[in-house]
Amino acid sequence: METKGHNLSDEIYNLLKNQILSGKLQGGEKIPEESLAKQFGVSRTPIREAVRRLGEYGLVDIKPRCYAVVSSISEKEASDIARVRIDLECLAIDLITPESIEENLKELARHAAECQYALDIDDRAESFVQDSLFHLSLVKASNNITLYNVYQRLETKIQQLRINQNLYLQELKDYTHQHGRIMSLLKEGKKQECKILMYEHIMHSAYPEGLHL
């Protein structure tokens, strides 16, 4: 049975996670433990438990002398993450079969719809979660457990990439609409077109001529 302390820690964890993913707390910003303690009427213990979990997730860096800041990535690291992500998802597209896309289509469609709905109600943090689940489901459809495990371990960095890109709401809506087109291309077996779209989807820029995926 959960204690009140554990419930509060979960609540604080979810609050901080949403604030980080929505951009309300930005990279390098200190986690406001004192104001959280006052807001929730608690000691620092459940707050630090929540912060520890965020550290394990990769969204905060815990510093000496017991304080934490929101994690940030450089432009170079963001570019590196995006490039690796493209390669992994394009490999997944190559491995997906007509049977595996059919098996995973309902799950993909559900996450695509929930991602779009979250943006419609201006819940950027939830849209990032659902976007992650959509792409994890796509990689799962490759039926390659090693690829899935590698992609899953990169997930925290991908979340940081989403935050780093800091797109306007309408831009996010435009890119999340591409989920439907990605599914259609996979169903039609148009893998090269799908990989080109995936590049544009992840990089948020047109596919460059001369690049081969």
Side-chain angles (χ1 to χ4, degrees):
M1 183 175 180
E2 286 188 321
T3 65
K4 182 179 178 182
H6 280 112
N7 288 329
L8 280 170
S9 180
D10 289 342
E11 191 174 342
I12 294 164
Y13 170 83
N14 289 324
L15 172 69
L16 289 172
K17 183 178 177 182
N18 285 342
Q19 288 182 340
I20 293 169
L21 294 180
S22 66
K24 290 179 181 177
L25 282 173
Q26 298 189 356
E29 193 170 342
K30 189 175 178 180
I31 300 296
E33 291 189 18
E34 185 174 346
S35 63
L36 285 168
K38 290 178 180 177
Q39 178 182 344
F40 286 91
V42 295
S43 69
R44 297 291 181 92
T45 301
I47 296 169
R48 287 174 179 165
E49 171 61 20
V51 169
R52 181 190 64 77
R53 290 171 60 194
L54 288 166
E56 291 176 351
Y57 191 73
L59 290 179
V60 304
D61 295 323
I62 299 173
K63 303 293 186 181
R65 300 181 182 177
C66 298
Y67 77 95
V69 299
V70 178
S71 296
S72 59
I73 56 175
S74 67
E75 289 300 321
K76 172 65 167 59
E77 187 178 6
S79 177
D80 290 346
I81 293 164
R83 182 67 256 182
V84 172
R85 183 186 173 194
I86 289 165
D87 288 345
L88 292 176
E89 295 206 39
C90 286
L91 175 57
I93 290 167
D94 282 334
L95 295 173
I96 288 172
T97 64
E99 293 76 20
S100 66
I101 190 60
E102 284 299 326
E103 289 172 5
N104 290 275
L105 195 59
K106 285 185 179 179
E107 185 177 332
L108 284 162
R110 183 177 72 254
H111 293 312
E114 290 180 359
C115 180
Q116 197 61 50
Y117 175 73
L119 284 179
D120 288 342
I121 61 172
D122 200 18
D123 188 345
R124 184 178 292 240
E126 180 60 22
S127 77
F128 284 173
V129 170
Q130 293 301 325
D131 186 52
S132 289
L133 292 172
F134 175 88
H135 288 276
L136 280 165
S137 295
L138 185 147
V139 175
K140 185 178 74 172
S142 71
N143 287 327
N144 186 309
I145 190 63
T146 301
L147 175 58
Y148 181 81
N149 288 339
V150 169
Y151 190 90
Q152 194 173 38
R153 284 196 292 272
L154 190 65
E155 177 54 30
T156 298
K157 292 296 184 181
I158 293 172
Q159 287 287 28
Q160 290 179 316
L161 176 63
R162 290 184 177 99
I163 298 166
N164 181 269
Q165 288 170 329
N166 194 29
L167 299 179
Y168 291 112
L169 182 61
Q170 187 55 53
E171 289 178 300
L172 276 175
K173 288 182 178 181
D174 291 342
Y175 286 115
T176 55
H177 273 126
Q178 291 177 335
H179 289 153
R181 181 62 179 153
I182 289 168
M183 289 186 290
S184 294
L185 290 171
L186 286 171
K187 284 179 65 179
E188 295 164 11
K190 297 178 178 178
K191 293 190 174 185
Q192 189 58 30
E193 288 182 44
C194 190
K195 288 192 286 184
I196 290 171
L197 180 59
M198 186 63 74
Y199 179 96
E200 296 174 356
H201 182 72
I202 292 171
M203 296 299 291
H204 302 148
S205 62
Y207 181 76
E209 292 184 16
L211 180 66
H212 298 286
L213 293 173

